[in-house]
Amino acid sequence: MTPTRLLVRACTAALLMSGLAHTAMADQLDDIKKAGKIRVAIAMGTPLFSYTDANLQPAGSDVDTAKLFAKDLGVQLEIVPVTNAARVPTLQAKRADVVIADLSITPERQQVIDFSVPYAVISIIVGGVADVKVKGYEDLAGKRIGVTRATVNDSLTTQNAKGVEMVRYEDDATLITSMVTGQINLFSSTPSNLAEMQKRAPGKKFELKFEQTNFDLGIALSKGEPKLKEWTDQWVKANLQNGTLNDIYKKYHGRDLPPKLTGK
């Protein structure tokens, strides 16, 4: 091979490497702004966090948070409805830019996606009908309990409840319906879902049995997007400090965010 051809090949390779490096350095934040739209995955059918209101419009604290997020970013909001189980896969498959869907920050999830600093919290409880006596995990042995698949409720109960029959549902709405219609009489979920069950079937006397844990919620982002993560972190901090995120949370959940988040 002649020196000239070797030089051409070397230059071509350098240009290709330069192009690949430029592509790798391109940040999702720039792409979102250029597109003028952000795709936010939201798990619809989660009472208080994200649901369809009487006018068939998306509502809830996560929906309002997503609207504010898009507004402050200066772009249009496109809601990508997902099930709870599809929240992380939807982000990994690039079908959404971020996820705002009551997604708890856990070490397992942090291995495959990034999270913003916490913007809200969620409590995980076991609840059920009043005549089933349950005070702790040990009382669940030999019983059936409903959970929403691929949630911390699912993993917590699976890890801690021995000898229990797990009944897994694809979303919170189906879990709620199963409790209301008597298909199951115990569940692991959130206080907001318990409140929805009580509202829909007051005669069944659903009650909280015990609290399992509390989790911080984060806005989920793809790994390797430092500019988008930095902007999101700063946005969350600013809106916690000025009280806007607390106002959104309190509007739907009837209580303030904990001081550990708001600093107040």
Side-chain angles (χ1 to χ4, degrees), residues 94-109:
K94 306 296 183 183
R95 292 193 294 270
D97 301 308
V98 301
V99 178
I100 303 178
D102 60 290
L103 195 61
S104 302
I105 301 172
T106 66
E108 294 78 14
R109 288 171 177 159

Side-chain angles (χ1 to χ4, degrees), residues 40-43 80-115 149-152 170 218-223:
V40 180
I42 301 180
V80 181
V82 295
T83 63
N84 290 83
R87 291 174 296 182
V88 172
T90 296
L91 184 64
Q92 292 177 307
K94 306 296 183 183
R95 292 193 294 270
D97 301 308
V98 301
V99 178
I100 303 178
D102 60 290
L103 195 61
S104 302
I105 301 172
T106 66
E108 294 78 14
R109 288 171 177 159
Q110 287 176 310
Q111 292 179 15
V112 294
I113 60 174
D114 277 339
F115 283 97
R149 188 186 305 277
T151 61
V152 290
E170 292 303 317
I219 297 175
L221 313 102
S222 298
K223 281 191 172 293

Side-chain angles (χ1 to χ4, degrees), residues 42-46 50-52 57-59 63 79 81-84 171-173:
I42 301 180
M44 302 304 297
T46 305
S50 46
Y51 58 93
T52 302
Q57 296 300 310
V63 173
I79 293 177
V82 295
T83 63
N84 290 83
D171 53 44
D172 287 349

Side-chain angles (χ1 to χ4, degrees), residues 122-126 135 137 191 208-214:
I122 191 169
S123 297
I124 307 301
I125 64 166
V126 167
K135 294 183 178 180
Y137 285 116
L208 187 151
K209 301 299 184 181
F210 65 93
E211 184 174 272
Q212 294 174 268
T213 191
N214 289 288

Side-chain angles (χ1 to χ4, degrees), residues 27-47:
D27 192 275
Q28 190 178 12
L29 180 62
D30 299 326
D31 295 338
I32 291 168
K33 289 182 175 180
K34 184 177 179 180
K37 177 182 70 176
I38 185 165
R39 300 168 301 161
V40 180
I42 301 180
M44 302 304 297
T46 305

Side-chain angles (χ1 to χ4, degrees), residues 8 23 26 45 50-51 77 83 93 102-103 112 130-131 160 165 171 175 192 198 200 204 212 229 254 256 262:
V8 170
T23 300
S50 46
Y51 58 93
L77 170 65
T83 63
D102 60 290
L103 195 61
V112 294
D131 59 356
N160 293 291
E165 180 185 349
D171 53 44
L175 171 66
S192 58
Q198 291 168 330
R200 289 174 55 179
K204 288 186 177 291
Q212 294 174 268
K229 177 167 168 48
D256 291 315
T262 62

Side-chain angles (χ1 to χ4, degrees), residues 76 140 162:
Q76 296 295 312
L140 294 174
K162 306 305 179 184

